[in-house]
Amino acid sequence: IYTVCDWIWKIALVNILWILFTLTGIIVFGVMPATVALFTVVRKWNMKEADTPISQVFFQTYKKEFLHANSVGLIMGAIGFFLFIDYRLVMAIGGTVQYILSIPFLILLGLYLITLLYLFPVYVHFELKFLQYFKYAFYIGTLNIHITILMVAALLLLSFPLSFFPGFIPFFSVSLMSIVMMFGAIIAFKRIEKKQKKFSA
């Protein structure tokens, strides 16, 4: 019972910290470093570091990654904005042309969402050059598409109880989603590592 209550408290705490630090950065400048800090804590949990001082690690990561994380967010935000503009244009065309143009748009949107799904786990797990974070996130997500599909399914299942009990959202929404994403990403990372060792042997 103590262990269960302890984990409930940890998950709730990191979710509250994410909200507070996102607001500290006036949302726009806070959401990326706060999310990186959140995934850093969750990664430590996946690495069997359950006794990690959550508040300390969160604050240190937020401060350290503030500029770099916002640079990554700027790129993803710009791509997302252009996709939104494309969506509006496609919807405005109408007719048969709309259906034809919808296919490449949906493909691009799917690839964007796959990259976004793995971006934070890759960011906190690997030491890479700036553009490599996007490349690695895209490659890992597409090469492990079955894991990606399971992650999306798990996130959708998680959204149902939260929609029925919105009072839990400030405590267990983003943190639980990050746990699902990090868990799936770690499995994908290990599969790629095994393949690399197999080919190099």
Side-chain angles (χ1 to χ4, degrees):
I1 294 173
Y2 172 80
T3 302
V4 171
C5 291
D6 184 51
W7 274 108
I8 290 172
W9 161 245
K10 287 177 180 177
I11 294 168
L13 174 61
V14 79
N15 202 96
I16 293 167
L17 287 172
W18 182 85
I19 294 171
L20 291 176
F21 278 83
T22 297
L23 294 174
T24 300
I26 320 172
I27 300 177
V28 175
F29 299 107
V31 65
M32 287 300 294
T35 306
V36 168
L38 168 66
F39 273 87
T40 300
V41 173
V42 172
R43 178 186 174 274
K44 286 184 177 293
W45 291 345
N46 271 275
M47 297 291 106
K48 310 302 181 184
E49 300 177 36
D51 295 328
T52 298
I54 296 172
S55 299
Q56 181 182 344
V57 171
F58 199 103
F59 176 71
Q60 289 176 348
T61 306
Y62 182 89
K63 186 171 63 172
K64 178 186 174 184
E65 300 292 340
F66 188 85
L67 293 176
H68 198 260
N70 273 309
S71 299
V72 172
L74 182 64
I75 299 295
M76 293 304 290
I79 296 172
F81 177 75
F82 282 118
L83 284 174
F84 175 73
I85 296 298
D86 287 342
Y87 169 76
R88 296 295 297 271
L89 290 172
V90 169
M91 290 299 104
I93 292 172
T96 306
V97 178
Q98 181 187 89
Y99 291 105
I100 295 171
L101 293 178
S102 294
I103 296 171
F105 170 77
L106 289 173
I107 292 171
L108 288 173
L109 180 62
L111 296 176
Y112 173 78
L113 292 176
I114 289 172
T115 304
L116 187 62
L117 194 65
Y118 283 86
L119 183 60
F120 292 106
V122 167
Y123 188 97
V124 301
H125 193 74
F126 298 102
E127 288 287 339
L128 303 170
K129 293 179 180 179
F130 184 75
L131 292 177
Q132 286 181 322
Y133 287 111
F134 306 97
K135 185 171 72 173
Y136 271 54
F138 171 75
Y139 283 154
I140 292 170
T142 51
L143 290 173
N144 296 276
I145 195 66
H146 60 296
I147 296 175
T148 303
I149 292 169
L150 288 173
M151 284 168 64
V152 172
L155 291 171
L156 290 173
L157 286 173
L158 184 61
S159 67
F160 284 115
L162 289 173
S163 63
F164 284 110
F165 303 101
F168 288 125
I169 290 175
F171 305 101
F172 303 108
S173 54
V174 181
S175 56
L176 286 177
M177 289 181 180
S178 67
I179 289 170
V180 170
M181 291 166 66
M182 196 72 226
F183 181 77
I186 290 291
I187 294 173
F189 299 159
K190 288 179 178 178
R191 287 188 77 253
I192 290 176
E193 287 174 6
K194 284 181 180 179
K195 287 181 180 180
Q196 288 176 338
K197 288 179 181 178
K198 188 177 180 180
F199 286 125
S200 61

Coordinates of all heavy atoms in Angstrom, one line a residue, residues 118-158:
Y118 N 8.1 10.6 -30.5 CA 9.4 10.1 -30.0 C 10.4 11.2 -29.7 O 11.5 10.9 -29.2 CB 10.0 9.2 -31.1 CG 9.4 7.8 -31.1 CD1 8.2 7.5 -31.8 CD2 9.9 6.7 -30.4 CE1 7.6 6.3 -31.9 CE2 9.4 5.5 -30.4 CZ 8.2 5.3 -31.2 OH 7.6 4.0 -31.2
L119 N 10.1 12.4 -30.0 CA 11.0 13.5 -29.9 C 11.5 13.7 -28.5 O 12.8 13.8 -28.2 CB 10.4 14.8 -30.4 CG 11.3 16.0 -30.4 CD1 12.6 15.8 -31.3 CD2 10.6 17.3 -30.9
F120 N 10.6 13.7 -27.5 CA 11.1 14.0 -26.1 C 11.8 12.8 -25.5 O 12.8 13.0 -24.8 CB 9.9 14.3 -25.2 CG 9.3 15.7 -25.6 CD1 8.1 15.8 -26.2 CD2 10.0 16.8 -25.2 CE1 7.6 17.1 -26.6 CE2 9.4 18.1 -25.5 CZ 8.2 18.2 -26.2
P121 N 11.3 11.5 -25.7 CA 12.1 10.4 -25.3 C 13.6 10.4 -25.9 O 14.5 10.1 -25.2 CB 11.3 9.2 -25.7 CG 9.9 9.7 -25.8 CD 10.0 11.1 -26.2
V122 N 13.7 10.7 -27.2 CA 15.0 10.7 -27.8 C 15.8 11.9 -27.2 O 17.0 11.7 -27.0 CB 14.8 10.9 -29.3 CG1 16.2 11.3 -30.0 CG2 14.3 9.7 -30.0
Y123 N 15.2 13.0 -27.0 CA 15.9 14.2 -26.5 C 16.6 13.9 -25.1 O 17.7 14.3 -24.9 CB 14.9 15.3 -26.4 CG 15.6 16.7 -26.0 CD1 15.9 17.6 -27.0 CD2 15.9 17.0 -24.7 CE1 16.5 18.8 -26.7 CE2 16.5 18.2 -24.4 CZ 16.8 19.1 -25.4 OH 17.4 20.3 -25.1
V124 N 15.8 13.2 -24.2 CA 16.4 13.0 -22.9 C 17.2 11.7 -22.8 O 17.9 11.5 -21.8 CB 15.2 12.9 -21.8 CG1 14.4 14.2 -21.8 CG2 14.3 11.7 -22.1
H125 N 17.2 10.9 -23.8 CA 17.9 9.6 -23.7 C 19.2 9.6 -24.5 O 20.2 8.9 -24.1 CB 17.0 8.5 -24.4 CG 17.5 7.1 -24.1 ND1 17.4 6.5 -22.8 CD2 18.2 6.2 -24.9 CE1 17.9 5.3 -22.9 NE2 18.4 5.1 -24.1
F126 N 19.3 10.4 -25.5 CA 20.6 10.5 -26.3 C 21.2 11.9 -26.2 O 20.5 12.9 -26.1 CB 20.3 10.1 -27.7 CG 19.7 8.8 -28.0 CD1 18.4 8.6 -28.2 CD2 20.6 7.7 -27.9 CE1 17.9 7.3 -28.4 CE2 20.1 6.4 -28.1 CZ 18.7 6.2 -28.4
E127 N 22.5 11.9 -26.4 CA 23.3 13.1 -26.6 C 23.6 13.3 -28.1 O 24.4 12.6 -28.6 CB 24.6 13.1 -25.8 CG 24.4 13.2 -24.3 CD 24.0 14.6 -23.8 OE1 24.3 15.6 -24.6 OE2 23.5 14.8 -22.7
L128 N 22.8 14.2 -28.7 CA 22.9 14.3 -30.2 C 23.1 15.7 -30.6 O 22.9 16.7 -29.8 CB 21.6 13.7 -30.8 CG 21.2 12.3 -30.5 CD1 19.8 12.0 -31.1 CD2 22.2 11.3 -31.2
K129 N 23.4 15.9 -31.9 CA 23.4 17.3 -32.5 C 22.0 17.7 -32.7 O 21.1 16.9 -32.8 CB 24.2 17.3 -33.8 CG 25.7 17.0 -33.6 CD 26.4 17.0 -34.9 CE 27.9 16.7 -34.7 NZ 28.7 16.7 -36.0
F130 N 21.8 19.0 -32.8 CA 20.5 19.6 -32.9 C 19.5 18.9 -33.8 O 18.5 18.4 -33.4 CB 20.6 21.1 -33.2 CG 19.2 21.8 -33.1 CD1 18.6 22.1 -31.9 CD2 18.6 22.1 -34.3 CE1 17.4 22.7 -31.9 CE2 17.4 22.8 -34.3 CZ 16.8 23.1 -33.1
L131 N 19.9 18.8 -35.1 CA 19.0 18.3 -36.1 C 18.8 16.7 -36.0 O 17.9 16.2 -36.5 CB 19.5 18.6 -37.5 CG 19.4 20.1 -37.9 CD1 20.0 20.3 -39.3 CD2 18.0 20.6 -37.8
Q132 N 19.8 16.1 -35.3 CA 19.7 14.6 -35.2 C 18.6 14.2 -34.3 O 18.1 13.1 -34.4 CB 21.0 14.1 -34.6 CG 22.2 14.1 -35.6 CD 23.5 13.6 -35.1 OE1 23.8 13.8 -33.9 NE2 24.2 12.8 -35.9
Y133 N 18.1 15.1 -33.4 CA 17.0 14.7 -32.5 C 15.8 14.4 -33.4 O 15.0 13.5 -33.1 CB 16.7 15.8 -31.5 CG 17.7 15.9 -30.4 CD1 18.6 17.0 -30.3 CD2 17.9 14.9 -29.5 CE1 19.6 17.1 -29.3 CE2 18.8 15.0 -28.4 CZ 19.7 16.1 -28.4 OH 20.6 16.1 -27.4
F134 N 15.5 15.3 -34.4 CA 14.4 15.1 -35.2 C 14.5 13.9 -36.1 O 13.6 13.1 -36.3 CB 14.2 16.3 -36.1 CG 14.1 17.6 -35.4 CD1 15.2 18.4 -35.2 CD2 12.9 18.0 -34.8 CE1 15.1 19.6 -34.5 CE2 12.8 19.2 -34.1 CZ 13.9 20.0 -33.9
K135 N 15.7 13.7 -36.6 CA 16.0 12.5 -37.5 C 15.9 11.2 -36.7 O 15.2 10.3 -37.2 CB 17.4 12.7 -38.1 CG 17.7 11.6 -39.1 CD 19.0 11.9 -39.8 CE 20.2 11.7 -38.9 NZ 21.5 11.8 -39.7
Y136 N 16.5 11.1 -35.6 CA 16.4 9.9 -34.8 C 14.9 9.6 -34.4 O 14.5 8.5 -34.4 CB 17.2 10.1 -33.5 CG 18.7 9.6 -33.7 CD1 19.5 10.1 -34.7 CD2 19.3 8.7 -32.8 CE1 20.8 9.7 -34.9 CE2 20.6 8.3 -33.0 CZ 21.3 8.8 -34.0 OH 22.6 8.4 -34.2
A137 N 14.2 10.7 -33.9 CA 12.8 10.5 -33.5 C 12.0 9.9 -34.7 O 11.2 9.0 -34.5 CB 12.2 11.8 -33.0
F138 N 12.2 10.5 -35.9 CA 11.5 10.0 -37.1 C 11.8 8.6 -37.4 O 11.0 7.7 -37.6 CB 11.8 10.9 -38.2 CG 11.3 10.5 -39.6 CD1 9.9 10.5 -39.8 CD2 12.1 9.9 -40.5 CE1 9.4 10.1 -41.1 CE2 11.6 9.5 -41.7 CZ 10.3 9.5 -42.0
Y139 N 13.1 8.3 -37.5 CA 13.6 6.9 -37.9 C 13.1 5.9 -36.9 O 12.6 4.8 -37.2 CB 15.1 6.9 -38.0 CG 15.7 7.5 -39.2 CD1 16.9 8.1 -39.3 CD2 14.9 7.6 -40.4 CE1 17.4 8.7 -40.4 CE2 15.4 8.2 -41.5 CZ 16.7 8.7 -41.5 OH 17.1 9.3 -42.7
I140 N 13.3 6.1 -35.6 CA 12.9 5.2 -34.6 C 11.4 4.9 -34.6 O 11.0 3.8 -34.4 CB 13.4 5.6 -33.2 CG1 14.9 5.6 -33.1 CG2 12.8 4.7 -32.1 CD1 15.5 6.3 -31.8
G141 N 10.6 6.0 -34.8 CA 9.2 5.8 -34.8 C 8.7 5.0 -36.0 O 7.8 4.2 -35.8
T142 N 9.3 5.3 -37.1 CA 8.9 4.6 -38.4 C 9.4 3.1 -38.4 O 8.7 2.2 -38.9 CB 9.3 5.3 -39.6 OG1 10.7 5.6 -39.5 CG2 8.5 6.6 -39.7
L143 N 10.6 2.9 -37.9 CA 11.2 1.6 -37.9 C 10.5 0.6 -36.9 O 10.6 -0.6 -37.0 CB 12.7 1.6 -37.6 CG 13.6 2.2 -38.8 CD1 15.0 2.4 -38.3 CD2 13.5 1.4 -40.0
N144 N 9.9 1.2 -35.9 CA 9.2 0.5 -34.9 C 7.7 0.8 -34.9 O 7.1 1.2 -33.9 CB 9.8 0.7 -33.5 CG 11.2 0.3 -33.4 OD1 11.5 -0.9 -33.2 ND2 12.1 1.2 -33.6
I145 N 7.1 0.7 -36.1 CA 5.7 1.2 -36.3 C 4.7 0.5 -35.4 O 3.7 1.1 -35.0 CB 5.3 1.2 -37.8 CG1 4.1 2.0 -38.0 CG2 5.2 -0.3 -38.2 CD1 4.3 3.5 -37.8
H146 N 5.0 -0.8 -35.2 CA 4.1 -1.6 -34.3 C 4.1 -1.1 -32.9 O 3.0 -1.0 -32.3 CB 4.4 -3.1 -34.4 CG 5.8 -3.4 -33.9 ND1 6.9 -2.9 -34.5 CD2 6.2 -4.1 -32.8 CE1 8.0 -3.4 -33.9 NE2 7.6 -4.1 -32.8
I147 N 5.2 -0.7 -32.4 CA 5.3 -0.1 -31.1 C 4.6 1.3 -31.1 O 3.9 1.6 -30.1 CB 6.8 0.0 -30.6 CG1 7.4 -1.3 -30.4 CG2 6.9 0.8 -29.3 CD1 8.9 -1.3 -30.1
T148 N 4.8 2.0 -32.1 CA 4.2 3.4 -32.3 C 2.7 3.2 -32.2 O 2.0 4.0 -31.5 CB 4.6 4.0 -33.6 OG1 6.1 4.1 -33.6 CG2 4.0 5.4 -33.7
I149 N 2.2 2.3 -32.9 CA 0.7 2.0 -33.0 C 0.2 1.7 -31.6 O -0.9 2.2 -31.1 CB 0.3 1.0 -34.0 CG1 0.6 1.5 -35.4 CG2 -1.1 0.5 -33.8 CD1 0.5 0.4 -36.5
L150 N 0.9 0.8 -30.9 CA 0.5 0.4 -29.5 C 0.6 1.6 -28.6 O -0.3 1.8 -27.7 CB 1.5 -0.7 -29.0 CG 1.3 -2.1 -29.6 CD1 2.3 -3.0 -29.1 CD2 -0.1 -2.6 -29.3
M151 N 1.6 2.5 -28.7 CA 1.7 3.7 -27.9 C 0.5 4.6 -28.1 O -0.1 5.1 -27.2 CB 3.0 4.5 -28.2 CG 4.2 3.8 -27.6 SD 5.8 4.5 -28.3 CE 5.7 6.2 -27.7
V152 N 0.1 4.8 -29.4 CA -1.0 5.6 -29.7 C -2.3 5.1 -29.1 O -3.1 5.8 -28.5 CB -1.2 5.8 -31.2 CG1 -2.5 6.5 -31.6 CG2 0.0 6.6 -31.8
A153 N -2.4 3.7 -29.2 CA -3.6 3.0 -28.7 C -3.7 3.2 -27.2 O -4.7 3.5 -26.6 CB -3.6 1.6 -29.1
A154 N -2.5 3.1 -26.5 CA -2.5 3.2 -25.0 C -2.8 4.7 -24.6 O -3.5 4.9 -23.6 CB -1.1 2.9 -24.5
L155 N -2.3 5.6 -25.4 CA -2.6 7.0 -25.1 C -4.1 7.3 -25.3 O -4.7 8.1 -24.5 CB -1.8 8.0 -26.0 CG -0.3 8.0 -25.7 CD1 0.4 8.8 -26.8 CD2 0.0 8.6 -24.3
L156 N -4.7 6.7 -26.3 CA -6.2 6.9 -26.5 C -7.0 6.3 -25.4 O -8.0 6.9 -24.9 CB -6.6 6.3 -27.9 CG -6.1 7.1 -29.1 CD1 -6.4 6.3 -30.4 CD2 -6.7 8.5 -29.2
L157 N -6.6 5.1 -25.0 CA -7.2 4.4 -23.9 C -7.1 5.2 -22.6 O -8.1 5.3 -21.8 CB -6.6 3.0 -23.6 CG -7.0 1.9 -24.7 CD1 -6.2 0.7 -24.4 CD2 -8.5 1.6 -24.6
L158 N -6.0 5.8 -22.4 CA -5.7 6.7 -21.2 C -6.6 7.9 -21.2 O -7.0 8.4 -20.1 CB -4.2 7.1 -21.1 CG -3.8 7.8 -19.9 CD1 -4.0 7.0 -18.6 CD2 -2.3 8.2 -20.1

